[in-house]
Each structure stands twice: as C-alpha cells, then as structure tokens.
Amino acid sequence: MSVAVPIVVMLVAGAAIGFQSLFAGTIGSRVGIIESAFIIHLGGFILAAVILVGMRGGSFAAWRTVPWYVYSAGFLGVVIVGAYSYAVSRIGLAPSITLAIAVQLILCAVLDYYGILSAVQRPFDLARGIGVAVLLVGTWLILR
C-alpha cells in the first residue's frame, strides 16, 4: 500500500482537529465545558450511527475481541474535548494545540520505544532525540 493515502488521511485529520478544537472552545465558552463535550460527542455518535446503519452494522460484532482497556478511548475523548473547550478560549487555539501535540509526540515516542499497549516497538535514536528537542523548542517559542 502506498503511504500517500495514510498521509492524506492524517492531513484531513489534522485539519479536523484544528476546526474541532476551535468549535469546542466556542461551545465551551458559551454553554460550558461538560456541555460542550456532550454536544460534540452526541454529534459524533449520530454520524457514526448513520454510517454504521449504511454499512449494515459493519464488523461491530467483533467488539468482544478488543482488549478491555481500549474502551477508555471514549472517556479520553471527553477529557480531550473538555480540555480544548477550556483552554482554547483562555490561551488560544495555536498554543492549546501545540501543547497537546507536544505531549502526544513525546508520549508516543515512549510508548513506541517500550512497545507499551501493543504499540509497534521502535528505537529511540539520535534523530528522534533531536526531533523531541526541536519540538520542545518550537513549543516554547509558540507559547512565549
């Protein structure tokens, strides 16, 4: 498989995160953080339900094969949306997303290095170390 398709998919996802974060901040500042998380997840639920109905259930029946701890993803989604709803209206969109991405990348480098929670194990070499250092400097520059 070409890497072009996953790259395009993640470019779309990155744009979606930017818009969703901005919208979450707007909803959160007007109706409240928990209310924002509820409204956003309700919209996501409706879209996913419509798609599943169109797919005649997809492979939904395989839910029993998934490790128990991955079901916390929904709870983490509420934490993420709540955090953006809170932070974006207080420190801005770019600083909020920059902090979240910096933490994501550092955490994921650790998860990859140790192969934690079924992550593909990858070495932490000099290039990754330099990447993390540049990331931290870039984060500091955006936040100052």
Side-chain angles (χ1 to χ4, degrees):
M1 169 172 37
S2 168
V3 297
V5 174
I7 288 172
V8 169
V9 166
M10 292 315 298
L11 290 172
V12 170
I17 290 169
F19 285 115
Q20 184 202 38
S21 301
L22 179 61
F23 300 159
T26 301
I27 297 169
S29 67
R30 294 187 184 180
V31 301
I33 294 164
I34 298 302
E35 296 84 352
S36 171
F38 178 80
I39 291 166
I40 290 167
H41 280 84
L42 179 62
F45 171 79
I46 292 168
L47 176 61
V50 167
I51 293 170
L52 276 173
V53 167
M55 295 173 50
R56 297 191 174 145
S59 59
F60 197 80
W63 71 271
R64 290 181 191 95
T65 65
V66 179
W68 65 269
Y69 55 85
V70 300
Y71 293 110
S72 67
F75 297 114
L76 294 172
V78 171
V79 170
I80 293 164
V81 170
Y84 279 120
S85 296
Y86 177 80
V88 166
S89 63
R90 288 166 175 80
I91 65 172
L93 187 58
S96 298
I97 288 182
T98 300
L99 283 168
I101 290 172
V103 171
Q104 279 178 281
L105 291 173
I106 292 168
L107 172 65
C108 291
V110 171
L111 294 174
D112 281 350
Y113 178 76
Y114 290 107
I116 299 170
L117 301 173
S118 303
V120 175
Q121 197 163 11
R122 296 188 52 155
F124 191 87
D125 55 11
L126 180 61
R128 281 190 172 215
I130 291 170
V132 168
V134 169
L135 171 71
L136 292 173
V137 169
T139 301
W140 176 78
L141 289 170
I142 288 173
L143 295 174
R144 64 183 198 102

XYZ file of all heavy atoms in Angstrom, residues 70-135:
482
model
N -8.964 -0.639 25.993
C -9.130 0.295 24.881
C -10.494 0.968 24.896
O -10.696 1.975 24.225
C -8.863 -0.360 23.501
C -7.447 -0.886 23.430
C -9.863 -1.440 23.206
N -11.421 0.442 25.674
C -12.731 1.091 25.779
C -12.671 2.410 26.534
O -13.631 3.169 26.529
C -13.756 0.141 26.404
C -14.047 -1.016 25.481
C -13.622 -2.296 25.774
C -14.729 -0.802 24.288
C -13.872 -3.342 24.911
C -14.976 -1.842 23.411
C -14.552 -3.113 23.731
O -14.785 -4.137 22.863
N -11.537 2.706 27.139
C -11.375 4.016 27.782
C -11.228 5.128 26.747
O -11.253 6.309 27.104
C -10.167 4.006 28.717
O -8.966 3.872 27.965
N -11.114 4.785 25.479
C -10.965 5.806 24.428
C -12.122 6.802 24.450
O -11.913 7.998 24.241
C -10.850 5.143 23.056
N -13.329 6.330 24.699
C -14.475 7.247 24.775
C -14.343 8.216 25.932
O -14.626 9.412 25.794
N -13.898 7.720 27.073
C -13.682 8.594 28.235
C -12.577 9.604 27.933
O -12.685 10.781 28.280
C -13.309 7.783 29.471
C -14.376 6.829 29.916
C -14.172 5.464 29.846
C -15.595 7.290 30.391
C -15.160 4.584 30.252
C -16.586 6.418 30.799
C -16.367 5.058 30.730
N -11.513 9.123 27.281
C -10.418 10.023 26.925
C -10.885 11.084 25.934
O -10.426 12.229 25.993
C -9.245 9.223 26.346
C -8.563 8.270 27.332
C -7.549 7.400 26.610
C -7.920 9.032 28.470
N -11.805 10.724 25.056
C -12.374 11.706 24.129
C -13.057 12.840 24.862
O -12.943 14.014 24.476
N -13.767 12.513 25.929
C -14.429 13.556 26.725
C -13.376 14.439 27.395
O -13.521 15.672 27.432
C -15.383 12.928 27.767
C -15.905 13.978 28.731
C -16.542 12.226 27.059
N -12.306 13.838 27.892
C -11.223 14.615 28.508
C -10.596 15.548 27.469
O -10.369 16.736 27.737
C -10.154 13.682 29.121
C -8.920 14.465 29.544
C -10.731 12.906 30.293
N -10.344 15.029 26.273
C -9.715 15.826 25.217
C -10.601 16.999 24.828
O -10.150 18.152 24.792
C -9.402 14.936 23.995
C -8.318 13.922 24.351
C -9.000 15.786 22.790
C -8.212 12.761 23.368
N -11.858 16.710 24.529
C -12.771 17.786 24.124
C -12.952 18.781 25.259
O -12.959 19.995 25.041
C -14.123 17.200 23.660
C -15.162 18.293 23.478
C -13.949 16.426 22.361
N -13.064 18.299 26.480
C -13.191 19.191 27.626
C -11.965 20.083 27.788
O -12.090 21.279 28.065
N -10.788 19.504 27.590
C -9.556 20.285 27.717
C -9.482 21.373 26.656
O -9.155 22.528 26.951
C -8.338 19.364 27.616
N -9.801 21.027 25.418
C -9.806 22.040 24.364
C -10.890 23.086 24.619
O -10.667 24.274 24.402
C -10.009 21.413 22.985
C -8.746 20.844 22.390
C -8.647 19.499 22.069
C -7.652 21.654 22.115
C -7.497 18.978 21.514
C -6.496 21.145 21.561
C -6.424 19.803 21.253
O -5.279 19.292 20.701
N -12.056 22.650 25.071
C -13.141 23.592 25.362
C -12.704 24.604 26.411
O -13.071 25.774 26.357
C -14.381 22.843 25.864
O -14.893 21.998 24.863
N -11.922 24.158 27.359
C -11.440 25.025 28.424
C -10.287 25.917 27.948
O -10.291 27.129 28.143
C -10.984 24.179 29.608
C -10.413 24.986 30.735
C -11.254 25.624 31.641
C -9.044 25.127 30.889
C -10.732 26.397 32.668
C -8.519 25.891 31.911
C -9.363 26.516 32.799
O -8.843 27.280 33.810
N -9.285 25.312 27.324
C -8.035 26.025 27.049
C -8.100 26.981 25.868
O -7.511 28.069 25.921
C -6.908 25.014 26.828
N -8.781 26.601 24.792
C -8.766 27.420 23.575
C -9.268 28.829 23.827
O -8.676 29.805 23.345
C -9.568 26.730 22.445
C -9.860 27.684 21.302
C -8.813 25.508 21.936
N -10.330 28.971 24.612
C -10.866 30.308 24.863
C -10.022 31.089 25.874
O -10.230 32.288 26.048
C -12.322 30.213 25.346
O -12.392 29.535 26.577
N -9.056 30.442 26.512
C -8.243 31.117 27.520
C -6.827 31.427 27.038
O -6.284 32.485 27.342
C -8.199 30.279 28.791
C -9.541 30.312 29.527
C -9.629 29.220 30.588
N -10.843 29.330 31.370
C -12.037 28.905 30.967
N -12.179 28.348 29.773
N -13.098 29.036 31.745
N -6.194 30.474 26.319
C -4.815 30.715 25.869
C -4.688 30.746 24.350
O -3.617 31.029 23.841
C -3.827 29.678 26.464
C -4.115 28.265 25.965
C -3.807 29.756 27.975
C -3.051 27.238 26.357
N -5.769 30.444 23.633
C -5.743 30.492 22.172
C -5.649 29.124 21.536
O -5.282 28.134 22.181
N -5.970 29.075 20.258
C -6.001 27.824 19.506
C -4.601 27.250 19.278
O -4.350 26.080 19.580
C -6.716 28.052 18.170
C -7.001 26.847 17.308
C -7.851 25.829 18.059
C -7.706 27.269 16.029
N -3.681 28.060 18.748
C -2.338 27.544 18.448
C -1.594 27.062 19.701
O -1.032 25.956 19.690
C -1.517 28.586 17.695
N -1.586 27.823 20.801
C -0.904 27.308 21.997
C -1.556 26.029 22.536
O -0.857 25.107 22.964
C -1.027 28.448 23.007
C -1.220 29.665 22.184
C -1.999 29.219 20.982
N -2.875 25.958 22.503
C -3.563 24.765 23.011
C -3.190 23.534 22.207
O -2.827 22.488 22.759
C -5.082 24.961 22.964
O -5.477 26.024 23.783
N -3.263 23.657 20.894
C -2.952 22.512 20.037
C -1.467 22.185 20.101
O -1.083 21.013 20.114
C -3.429 22.772 18.592
C -4.961 22.706 18.574
C -2.828 21.775 17.618
C -5.593 22.903 17.229
N -0.613 23.202 20.173
C 0.825 22.962 20.265
C 1.167 22.149 21.508
O 1.930 21.179 21.440
C 1.594 24.300 20.281
O 1.302 25.000 19.074
C 3.086 24.080 20.396
N 0.598 22.529 22.658
C 0.866 21.778 23.883
C 0.375 20.341 23.780
O 1.085 19.400 24.153
C 0.199 22.471 25.078
C 0.907 23.709 25.592
C 0.010 24.454 26.571
C 2.221 23.326 26.242
N -0.826 20.176 23.241
C -1.390 18.833 23.108
C -0.534 17.976 22.178
O -0.249 16.807 22.477
C -2.828 18.909 22.605
N -0.109 18.533 21.067
C 0.700 17.770 20.116
C 2.062 17.441 20.704
O 2.564 16.325 20.530
C 0.830 18.532 18.786
C -0.521 18.537 18.064
C 1.902 17.921 17.892
C -0.570 19.415 16.840
N 2.672 18.382 21.406
C 3.981 18.109 22.024
C 3.880 16.938 22.998
O 4.704 16.016 22.971
C 4.504 19.362 22.724
N 2.857 16.953 23.841
C 2.678 15.858 24.801
C 2.384 14.553 24.064
O 2.935 13.499 24.410
C 1.560 16.188 25.816
C 1.216 14.983 26.666
C 1.986 17.357 26.693
N 1.540 14.619 23.023
C 1.231 13.424 22.241
C 2.498 12.804 21.668
O 2.710 11.591 21.773
C 0.324 13.768 21.060
C -1.127 13.895 21.379
C -1.886 14.287 20.120
O -1.885 15.445 19.746
N -2.509 13.334 19.487
N 3.330 13.617 21.035
C 4.510 13.083 20.369
C 5.517 12.503 21.358
O 6.106 11.445 21.111
C 5.157 14.166 19.504
C 4.341 14.565 18.272
C 4.973 15.756 17.572
C 4.198 13.394 17.316
N 5.706 13.171 22.468
C 6.644 12.651 23.469
C 6.105 11.362 24.085
O 6.828 10.371 24.213
C 6.954 13.723 24.537
C 7.750 14.863 23.891
C 7.710 13.116 25.716
C 7.874 16.107 24.737
N 4.827 11.349 24.452
C 4.219 10.135 24.996
C 4.306 8.993 23.990
O 4.673 7.869 24.338
C 2.761 10.379 25.382
C 1.972 9.127 25.778
C 2.528 8.516 27.061
C 0.502 9.439 25.928
N 4.007 9.286 22.738
C 4.013 8.234 21.720
C 5.420 7.715 21.455
O 5.605 6.524 21.177
C 3.355 8.731 20.443
S 1.577 8.978 20.669
N 6.426 8.565 21.543
C 7.810 8.105 21.398
C 8.154 7.120 22.515
O 8.819 6.102 22.287
C 8.774 9.288 21.395
N 7.691 7.402 23.730
C 7.919 6.495 24.861
C 7.151 5.183 24.657
O 7.702 4.084 24.852
C 7.521 7.168 26.196
C 7.542 6.176 27.349
C 8.431 8.357 26.486
N 5.878 5.285 24.251
C 5.082 4.084 24.010
C 5.715 3.232 22.915
O 5.784 1.997 23.034
C 3.644 4.448 23.631
C 2.798 5.124 24.706
C 1.450 5.544 24.141
C 2.614 4.222 25.912
N 6.180 3.873 21.833
C 6.850 3.143 20.751
C 8.139 2.486 21.231
O 8.423 1.338 20.892
C 7.196 4.081 19.583
C 6.025 4.381 18.684
O 4.972 3.744 18.825
O 6.177 5.269 17.826
N 8.935 3.210 21.989
C 10.222 2.690 22.439
C 10.051 1.409 23.255
O 10.759 0.424 23.060
C 10.972 3.745 23.253
C 12.292 3.247 23.786
C 13.387 3.128 22.943
C 12.437 2.885 25.121
C 14.604 2.662 23.406
C 13.654 2.421 25.599
C 14.734 2.303 24.750
O 15.931 1.841 25.221
N 9.084 1.434 24.175
C 8.870 0.278 25.044
C 7.847 -0.712 24.490
O 7.662 -1.792 25.051
C 8.430 0.735 26.438
C 9.542 1.420 27.201
C 9.526 2.789 27.388
C 10.604 0.685 27.718
C 10.545 3.431 28.083
C 11.629 1.318 28.413
C 11.589 2.685 28.589
O 12.601 3.311 29.279
N 7.142 -0.359 23.424
C 6.115 -1.232 22.872
C 4.929 -1.401 23.809
O 4.287 -2.451 23.846
N 4.606 -0.352 24.552
C 3.548 -0.405 25.557
C 2.174 -0.409 24.893
O 1.960 0.290 23.900
C 3.669 0.796 26.519
C 5.013 0.747 27.252
C 2.507 0.834 27.509
C 5.327 2.000 28.037
N 1.239 -1.180 25.440
C -0.153 -1.225 24.992
C -0.268 -1.570 23.503
O -1.043 -0.983 22.769
C -0.880 0.089 25.293
C -0.932 0.500 26.764
C -1.519 1.893 26.916
C -1.726 -0.513 27.572
N 0.528 -2.501 23.066
C 0.522 -3.014 21.688
C 1.079 -2.032 20.665
O 0.864 -2.205 19.463
C -0.894 -3.444 21.272
O -1.383 -4.413 22.159
N 1.770 -0.982 21.102
C 2.403 -0.066 20.148
C 3.538 -0.799 19.442
O 4.191 -1.668 20.021
C 2.952 1.165 20.874
N 3.755 -0.455 18.177
C 4.868 -1.037 17.427
C 6.161 -0.523 18.042
O 6.342 0.686 18.210
C 4.785 -0.629 15.936
C 5.999 -1.124 15.180
C 3.500 -1.144 15.313
N 7.044 -1.449 18.425
C 8.278 -1.055 19.101
C 9.258 -0.447 18.092
O 9.532 -1.041 17.049
C 8.902 -2.256 19.803
C 9.915 -1.872 20.830
C 10.231 -3.007 21.785
O 9.844 -4.144 21.567
N 10.948 -2.697 22.835
N 9.734 0.758 18.419
C 10.687 1.471 17.569
C 11.781 2.055 18.453
O 11.517 2.529 19.543
C 9.989 2.601 16.818
C 8.939 2.092 15.841
C 8.425 3.190 15.001
N 9.555 3.884 14.394
C 9.498 4.559 13.273
N 8.371 4.618 12.629
N 10.539 5.190 12.791
N 13.005 2.033 17.959
C 14.108 2.561 18.772
C 14.031 4.071 18.942
O 13.440 4.770 18.114
C 15.360 2.173 17.974
C 14.887 2.031 16.567
C 13.463 1.545 16.653
N 14.609 4.556 20.031
C 14.725 6.000 20.252
C 16.171 6.350 19.967
O 17.041 6.235 20.823
C 14.340 6.358 21.693
C 14.178 7.838 21.903
C 12.959 8.439 21.661
C 15.235 8.627 22.325
C 12.784 9.803 21.836
C 15.080 9.992 22.508
C 13.850 10.581 22.266
N 16.433 6.758 18.736
C 17.795 7.043 18.309
C 18.093 8.539 18.367
O 17.275 9.332 18.831
C 18.044 6.485 16.904
C 17.033 6.999 15.884
O 16.278 7.932 16.200
O 17.006 6.443 14.766
N 19.262 8.900 17.899
C 19.691 10.302 17.931
C 18.722 11.198 17.154
O 18.384 12.297 17.609
C 21.111 10.437 17.375
C 21.690 11.853 17.351
C 21.765 12.438 18.762
C 23.055 11.850 16.687
N 18.265 10.733 16.010
C 17.354 11.545 15.192
C 16.058 11.842 15.947
O 15.566 12.980 15.931
C 17.054 10.835 13.870
N 15.509 10.853 16.615
C 14.287 11.087 17.403
C 14.567 12.018 18.575
O 13.736 12.846 18.923
C 13.703 9.775 17.915
C 12.929 9.054 16.853
C 12.171 7.903 17.460
N 11.309 7.389 16.417
C 10.109 6.906 16.615
N 9.630 6.831 17.828
N 9.389 6.475 15.624
N 15.704 11.849 19.203
C 16.072 12.741 20.306
C 16.171 14.184 19.843
O 15.680 15.103 20.514
N 16.776 14.393 18.682
C 16.866 15.745 18.120
C 15.461 16.255 17.794
O 15.127 17.414 18.048
C 17.777 15.759 16.878
C 19.226 15.499 17.301
C 17.662 17.087 16.125
C 20.183 15.255 16.149
N 14.625 15.379 17.248
C 13.248 15.756 16.931
C 12.483 16.211 18.164
O 11.761 17.213 18.129
N 12.645 15.489 19.268
C 11.978 15.871 20.516
C 12.515 17.211 21.019
O 11.752 18.075 21.459
C 12.131 14.758 21.589
C 11.706 15.262 22.961
C 11.331 13.527 21.199
N 13.823 17.404 20.918
C 14.414 18.677 21.360
C 13.880 19.835 20.520
O 13.507 20.892 21.067
C 15.941 18.602 21.274
N 13.816 19.654 19.206
C 13.291 20.696 18.327
C 11.818 20.954 18.649
O 11.361 22.107 18.677
C 13.486 20.315 16.842
C 12.719 21.238 15.914
C 14.963 20.301 16.491
N 11.079 19.884 18.912
C 9.669 20.011 19.289
C 9.513 20.848 20.553
O 8.659 21.738 20.618
C 9.073 18.619 19.504
C 7.681 18.544 20.103
C 6.650 19.030 19.094
C 7.370 17.123 20.526
